[in-house]
Amino acid sequence: MKCLISLFLSIALVFETAAEASVRTCEPIKVAMCKNIGYNQTGMPNLARHTLQADADVTLQTFSPLVQYGCSSQLHLFLCAVYVPMCTDKVALPIGPCRGLCESVYARCYPVLRGFGFPWPAELDCSLFPAENNHEHMCMEGEGERAPPLGTIPLDATNAVGRGGCRRLVKPNSWVWVRGSGRCAQFCDAEVLWETGERKAAEVWLATWAALSFACTLAAIGAQLACGDRGGAGERALVLVALCRCAAAAGWGVRAAAGRTAAGCAKDSTSPTRMLLAHDGLANPNCAVVFLLLYYFGLAASVWWVVVTGAWRASVLRPPSTPGARNDRHSSLLQLAAWGVPAALAAAVLVTRDVDADELTGTCFVGNQSSKSLLALVIVPEAICLLLGTVFLASGLRAVLRRPVPLPAPATLLNAPPQPHPDQSLLRLGAFAALYAVPSACILATWVYEYILREDWLAAPVPSTEPSTQPQPAFWVFLFRIFATQILGVMVAVWIATPRLKALWRRMTGPRKPVLAKCPSGPPPTPLTLHCYATHPHTLTRHPQKYATYRPPQQQSYRKPRHYHYSAGETIL
């Protein structure tokens, strides 16, 4: 049965081939792209089932950008062999490309098509063409170009896109196309936007401020634990802000300890000896750890600052009769939001594999090489936190300005020390929350600056007759971002540690209890006896008249002083 089916199929194929051979006639090539290609006769229908050369010409025009990129030297011949095949009277079937020629062109040009979002056409499937040129199946092999062996691909995704898609970037020799991420990656040691001196200066600047922030926040947390004073909801949230800033500073420390290459670079999959700037942080454990510490705890610190501003506003608007009943009502929800939202965003980054390193410091974060990730995962969350905190601060400040000044209560004791105003701590907390917002706004401004101008920095200069300057990023902006990021930790540490260190110092150096004197040895001393004598009665003569008259001094009565005699013979008046 199977033999009969095969026989019928063979007979049908022979009749179809004969029909096509009877219909197809050789004619001169009219397509402009395929003239002077090496042969001048073609026949329709072609290998893509086009019956007219005009239809083939329209299809070939869609490949003009790919031909201009020059991803393969054999692309021109391959396309013409498919859409305008060679025709001769000696061979009934059209002579198209061989499979080796197709595979060579596919290996070099398919990454370019995929990079721009185009699939490989179905009529160009390499399995449709003969494996080799022989007397049974004639085909064109080209000029000897073959598919590169595995492991020696600088021509597959690297050179094809390096000469094509990555050519639109500044210094195209410093980039390589990566199939996994679908974008151009920078070599680890390439100097595209920053020079070696600027990198070293930024690394020293970062290490200095990160060490200062880590030491200050750690000391503040230690002072808080030593004093044991929990304070209000706002103060407790500030302690958590300090904890998050301490963990973020530890992330910078991991980056400094591991080094630029170990923390910010990864091996190229096509060439293990070549290092690329990390574009997929999960491939490098050091890069993943630095990202988690910086992104998660940095965003958590921003959310906890919003909690601080909200607690301050609630304390300002709360009546004095309810001192702390509402502080802990929603503490569980606040904990869930402050720790859960950053965790969800960090998980989204890990799933999409958007962890990448920046060229200046080699630190892994989000959006260092992708503008979309920078906008969606960094700028938008930080802008929302800053907006909410500013709204809470403005609302609380309005309530403070409208509050009447309370009259001082009368002191119950004459020598009682003056009591501090009950709103001083609240005003101090609000002032700190407002000061904290200033560096946060500056950091957000630097991210917006990078997002807007990054494409101009990385775009290759357009060739023109007039000399033009390539836009460069401002070095001081990125140094200021590092400073502002670390000064947030120093600020919150100083605010927390100052009153608590004072209280701890007073506790350590405060007045001690007086030491009781020892009793002297020997017999006890003779007790003192007191003798009182009253020799004159306390009487005054009253004048019978209503008003007393003047008397001479010698006639005035006076009290006779009493004499107190001690047993030692001493008389005291």
Side-chain angles (χ1 to χ4, degrees):
M1 189 65 181
K2 293 182 179 180
C3 295
L4 292 176
I5 295 175
S6 302
L7 179 62
F8 283 122
L9 290 177
S10 300
I11 296 174
L13 181 61
V14 169
F15 279 105
E16 182 181 0
T17 304
E20 290 183 359
S22 62
V23 174
R24 180 183 292 107
T25 56
C26 296
E27 56 185 18
I29 296 177
K30 301 177 182 179
V31 179
M33 183 183 294
C34 296
K35 289 183 178 181
N36 302 323
I37 196 67
Y39 56 92
N40 53 13
Q41 294 287 327
T42 186
M44 294 290 157
N46 59 11
L47 300 181
R49 304 297 179 182
H50 293 149
T51 57
L52 299 175
Q53 290 194 41
D55 298 336
D57 190 9
V58 172
T59 304
L60 284 173
Q61 292 300 324
T62 61
F63 291 95
S64 295
L66 192 63
V67 175
Q68 294 177 1
Y69 273 124
C71 58
S72 175
S73 61
Q74 300 297 312
L75 176 62
H76 193 184
L77 174 62
F78 171 70
L79 292 176
C80 289
V82 173
Y83 294 99
V84 188
M86 185 173 63
C87 180
T88 177
D89 296 336
K90 299 179 180 180
V91 180
L93 298 178
I95 302 175
C98 295
R99 188 176 301 174
L101 176 61
C102 176
E103 291 176 350
S104 176
V105 173
Y106 175 84
R108 290 162 174 79
C109 297
Y110 173 63
V112 180
L113 286 177
R114 188 177 63 176
F116 288 98
F118 295 100
W120 188 257
E123 60 267 18
L124 301 183
D125 189 358
C126 295
S127 62
L128 301 176
F129 308 118
E132 58 182 3
N133 183 25
N134 50 36
H135 64 281
E136 296 180 358
H137 303 284
M138 296 187 64
C139 59
M140 290 182 280
E141 296 181 347
E143 298 180 358
E145 185 174 291
R146 294 290 185 272
L150 292 176
T152 60
I153 308 183
L155 297 175
D156 178 358
T158 303
N159 285 359
V161 184
R163 294 178 301 181
C166 293
R167 277 189 174 182
R168 59 186 176 85
L169 300 176
V170 64
K171 299 182 180 179
N173 295 329
S174 301
W175 302 85
V176 61
W177 178 264
V178 181
R179 287 187 176 183
S181 61
R183 61 187 181 187
C184 296
Q186 179 182 338
F187 293 118
C188 186
D189 55 349
E191 298 180 1
V192 177
L193 296 179
W194 310 105
E195 298 178 354
T196 304
E198 294 174 333
R199 292 179 180 178
K200 292 182 178 179
E203 189 168 356
V204 173
W205 180 261
L206 173 60
T208 303
W209 283 105
L212 179 61
S213 177
F214 180 78
C216 292
T217 50
L218 189 63
I221 296 172
Q224 173 70 17
L225 295 177
C227 292
D229 182 17
R230 296 186 60 188
E235 295 182 356
R236 294 197 301 270
L238 267 183
V239 175
L240 294 175
V241 173
L243 178 62
C244 293
R245 287 298 171 188
C246 184
W252 296 108
V254 172
R255 153 63 189 89
R260 176 185 177 86
T261 303
C265 299
K267 293 182 179 180
D268 186 6
S269 59
T270 60
S271 178
T273 60
R274 185 170 53 192
M275 301 295 292
L276 302 178
L277 200 64
H279 55 276
D280 180 6
L282 298 182
N284 188 343
N286 296 329
C287 181
V289 171
V290 172
F291 155 73
L292 287 176
L293 291 175
L294 293 182
Y295 183 74
Y296 175 73
F297 287 102
L299 188 57
S302 300
V303 178
W304 277 116
W305 172 75
V306 176
V307 175
V308 170
T309 58
W312 177 76
R313 175 184 175 275
S315 300
V316 169
L317 299 178
R318 184 187 307 124
S321 59
T322 58
R326 301 180 184 177
N327 276 345
D328 301 328
R329 177 178 298 179
H330 305 293
S331 59
S332 300
L333 295 178
L334 293 178
Q335 293 279 347
L336 180 61
W339 299 117
V341 172
L345 292 177
V349 174
L350 293 177
V351 169
T352 56
R353 308 177 78 91
D354 281 338
V355 181
D356 46 22
D358 68 326
E359 180 189 350
L360 182 60
T361 61
T363 304
C364 290
F365 199 65
V366 186
N368 288 321
Q369 301 176 22
S370 175
S371 298
K372 294 181 180 178
S373 300
L374 179 63
L375 176 63
L377 299 171
V378 178
I379 295 179
V380 172
E382 292 291 342
I384 292 175
C385 292
L386 185 62
L387 179 62
L388 290 177
T390 305
V391 170
F392 289 151
L393 286 175
S395 177
L397 180 61
R398 180 182 180 185
V400 169
L401 295 178
R402 291 187 174 186
R403 176 181 296 180
V405 179
L407 296 176
T412 56
L413 299 177
L414 295 178
N415 297 327
Q419 298 295 330
H421 196 276
D423 291 338
Q424 285 184 359
S425 60
L426 291 178
L427 293 178
R428 182 171 173 267
L429 181 62
F432 171 79
L435 291 177
Y436 190 93
V438 176
S440 300
C442 295
I443 295 172
L444 182 61
T446 60
W447 277 327
V448 174
Y449 165 78
E450 182 178 0
Y451 171 76
I452 294 175
L453 300 178
R454 175 186 287 171
E455 298 296 333
D456 297 336
W457 299 337
L458 296 178
V462 179
S464 60
T465 56
E466 298 180 359
S468 59
T469 59
Q470 178 71 16
Q472 295 290 333
F475 183 55
W476 67 269
V477 173
F478 292 85
L479 291 183
F480 179 76
R481 178 194 295 176
I482 296 173
F483 165 77
T485 304
Q486 304 305 321
I487 203 64
L488 290 175
V490 177
M491 288 174 56
V492 66
V494 169
W495 189 91
I496 293 174
T498 300
R500 285 158 180 78
L501 288 178
K502 287 182 179 180
L504 184 61
W505 177 257
R506 290 174 183 175
R507 185 183 302 178
M508 295 174 58
T509 62
R512 301 181 180 179
K513 295 181 179 180
V515 181
L516 299 178
K518 296 183 179 179
C519 297
S521 60
T526 306
L528 299 177
T529 57
L530 182 63
H531 303 279
C532 299
Y533 300 93
T535 58
H536 195 279
H538 298 275
T539 58
L540 294 175
T541 57
R542 298 182 179 179
H543 201 276
Q545 296 182 3
K546 185 175 182 181
Y547 298 100
T549 59
Y550 173 76
R551 293 183 180 181
Q554 63 274 13
Q555 297 181 4
Q556 291 182 0
S557 62
Y558 62 92
R559 292 185 180 180
K560 188 176 181 180
R562 297 182 179 180
H563 298 271
Y564 302 90
H565 297 277
Y566 288 91
S567 60
E570 183 181 1
T571 303
I572 300 178
L573 298 180

